[in-house]
Amino acid sequence: RNDRFLFMRLVEEIARSVRTKQILSVIMIDIDHFKNYNDTLGHLAGDQALITVANVLKKAAREEDIVCRFGGEEFCAILPNTSYEQSFTVSERFRSMIEKTNFYREEVQPGGQLTCSLGVASLSDDSQSSKDLIEMADQALYHSKKTGRNRSTHYVELNSSTDSKTI
């Protein structure tokens, strides 16, 4: 797991955002039904899928974004100077690019393709710590999973209305 690196960089980026009064967002990314893919096709295919997802995320990210594997089939992206609206756009770019990527024998997956669910959170008065920000993005990710997978949800939408902003 790279969570030590992630939290170290997130603490640095939060401090910079607070100091410069700029927004910061985080995206949690989880491969949908990864256990099925790994169990059906084997660990070598699962490892290759993780590498492919990592490469897609790096390609879709901006130069200033920090993308790393969080653990298992989860990834995290730290987006400096990125607003709520911009972070949702980046999240949807990640989701769409993964959905359009051809993975080895992805037809074994429910729906016939390998997809990801994403949760987005932005630094605010409610979240000034790295732990809070990750927890908020994780709650949004869980909502994406619970409401159909292969979608993005921003944390702020979970509390502002009963209809979250999902696609």
Side-chain angles (χ1 to χ4, degrees), residues 31-64:
I31 301 173
D32 296 327
H33 303 291
F34 185 72
K35 183 173 178 4
N36 174 71
Y37 189 85
N38 212 29
D39 289 352
T40 303
L41 300 176
H43 293 288
L44 291 177
D47 288 349
Q48 187 56 53
L50 290 170
I51 292 166
T52 301
V53 168
N55 289 334
V56 169
L57 293 173
K58 285 193 305 191
K59 183 178 178 183
R62 303 166 305 173
E63 188 176 327
E64 64 269 22

Side-chain angles (χ1 to χ4, degrees), residues 28 30 74 117-119 135-149 153 158:
M28 295 294 293
D30 187 77
E74 282 191 323
S117 295
L118 302 94
E135 178 62 29
M136 290 163 49
D138 205 44
Q139 286 178 34
L141 169 62
Y142 179 74
H143 183 81
S144 290
K145 292 274 194 194
K146 189 171 71 172
T147 56
R149 302 179 194 266
T153 303
L158 297 180

